[in-house]
Amino acid sequence: GCNVNFYLVDMPAKTPGHSGDYYCDAQCFPDIGCCSEFDMNEGNANVQQVTNHACTHDYHDHPDWQCHKWGDPIVKTTPQEFAPGLDSLIDGNKLFTFSQEF
């Protein structure tokens, strides 16, 4: 299957990565650092979601995390809203337009 992602990160990292770039995200690469990440769209034919990966250094279940690697909050479509087939509001098997406004 196919998975599409569109996300924003707070770059550049403080030091260059192994490729010489200054890329970083909320996964916090060793020796490079972390950057906040906002996933504006992650999805496939079965689900669409929006996820915030803030870097607030206060994750009680994971005190070693600088950024929330899993994301919080996660806004995810339900099968009634988006899924393959005619039983959902948007049929994931058909073309659709995705847009966001700020």
Side-chain angles (χ1 to χ4, degrees):
C2 178
N3 185 34
V4 66
N5 294 294
F6 180 74
Y7 61 98
L8 306 171
V9 292
D10 184 21
M11 289 181 32
K14 293 180 182 171
T15 58
H18 301 292
S19 300
D21 60 10
Y22 286 80
Y23 177 82
C24 64
D25 61 28
Q27 300 307 312
C28 304
F29 300 105
D31 303 322
I32 298 172
C34 301
C35 293
S36 298
E37 175 183 342
F38 183 72
D39 300 331
M40 297 177 71
N41 181 29
E42 298 177 286
N44 55 36
N46 298 295
V47 68
Q48 300 290 312
Q49 72 181 39
V50 175
T51 311
N52 181 33
H53 300 272
C55 296
T56 58
H57 310 272
D58 62 352
Y59 307 107
H60 305 291
D61 293 339
H62 300 280
D64 56 320
W65 285 6
Q66 294 181 35
C67 302
H68 201 294
K69 295 180 181 193
W70 298 333
D72 183 40
I74 296 174
V75 179
K76 191 177 288 194
T77 58
T78 66
Q80 294 79 25
E81 296 169 327
F82 186 93
L86 299 175
D87 292 335
S88 61
L89 181 63
I90 300 173
D91 182 349
N93 288 328
K94 296 183 178 181
L95 294 175
F96 65 94
T97 300
F98 182 89
S99 66
Q100 292 179 326
E101 292 184 25
F102 298 93

